[in-house]
Amino acid sequence: MVIAVDGPAASGKGTLAKRLAAHYRLPALDTGLLYRMVARAMLDAGHDIHDPQAAEATVASFEEADFPEDRLRGREIGEAASVVAAMPAVRKGLIERQRRFAAQPQGAVLDGRDIGTVICPQAPAKLFVTATPEVRAARRHKELAGRGETATFEGILADIRRRDARDSGRSDAPLKAAEDAVILDTSALTVEEAVAAAIAIVDDRLSG
């Protein structure tokens, strides 16, 4: 059983993916972390984050174990990951890693931006999680403040709109809902309400 959870930044897809994985007792992969690893490795090596040749070489050589999650969070690395994710060579280099994870015998939950459209198009359960840019900016602002990072709501909102445009406008695997995905708007939902709605969607897909 593979559950694909897609959506834009700060939509709540990561939280829902983790909760779905716990509910169905499946392994979970936040595929966005892979792109953050590529960006982190490039920044650590002093590469220009916009250099596609350096990005392609990095994809072929980085080890996931080299990057603890605390080095992959934050506004700067999120923006850098969005840049490298728009590069076809980077996406191509990471596809196989993601598909291997999804091919585990018991199944898996993967969240990202192209899981239902590119990585696992045959997944029986697909969700596209979204929320308004303003709600997502407010969530990200609260998250960053909780980690002691200084950022204005207006700046975060601008970042989110820029990332949405880049992710949706890229030529290779743009951010979009799969034709058979169920749209889940979390703008007005609490976490528990969103989780309950997601479980209901998955149950309905699996029973159908």
Side-chain angles (χ1 to χ4, degrees):
M1 175 172 70
V2 175
I3 301 173
V5 184
D6 289 307
S11 60
K13 66 181 183 297
T15 297
L16 289 183
K18 290 176 183 176
R19 295 287 293 271
L20 287 171
H23 180 80
Y24 294 104
R25 298 182 180 179
L26 295 171
L29 175 63
D30 176 352
T31 64
L33 288 181
L34 296 176
Y35 293 94
R36 286 172 178 254
M37 288 175 189
V38 174
R40 179 80 272 165
M42 291 182 68
L43 292 172
D44 288 351
H47 294 309
D48 178 355
I49 204 67
H50 297 88
D51 183 343
Q53 284 75 35
E56 184 173 7
T58 301
V59 168
S61 61
F62 84 94
E63 295 293 335
E64 295 175 33
D66 292 342
F67 300 97
E69 191 167 331
D70 62 344
R71 296 197 67 231
L72 302 174
R73 297 301 183 186
R75 194 174 171 192
E76 176 197 24
I77 197 67
E79 179 70 13
S82 180
V83 172
V84 300
M87 299 176 184
V90 173
R91 305 201 70 82
K92 181 179 179 181
L94 294 179
I95 282 177
E96 189 54 38
R97 291 185 191 232
Q98 296 170 72
R99 287 180 174 163
R100 280 200 304 269
F101 190 92
Q104 295 178 78
Q106 74 271 43
V109 180
L110 291 85
D111 76 270
R113 286 169 173 73
D114 62 351
I115 309 304
T117 54
V118 176
I119 306 301
C120 302
Q122 303 305 318
K126 300 178 185 177
L127 286 77
F128 189 87
V129 184
T130 190
T132 66
E134 291 76 15
V135 166
R136 291 188 283 132
R139 290 172 180 169
R140 183 56 51 83
H141 185 262
K142 182 178 180 180
E143 176 189 348
L144 293 175
R147 293 207 300 262
E149 295 187 36
T150 302
T152 66
F153 171 82
E154 292 75 14
I156 294 170
L157 180 59
D159 283 349
I160 280 178
R161 286 177 168 156
R162 185 164 53 249
R163 289 181 65 181
D164 285 353
R166 185 186 298 125
D167 293 344
S168 300
R170 66 190 180 214
S171 59
D172 187 37
L175 168 67
K176 65 178 182 178
E179 291 184 2
D180 54 345
V182 177
I183 309 296
L184 176 57
D185 190 327
T186 65
S187 298
L189 301 180
T190 66
V191 171
E192 294 305 322
E193 289 171 341
V195 170
I199 290 173
I201 290 168
V202 174
D203 282 349
D204 180 66
R205 285 302 179 93
L206 297 181
S207 66

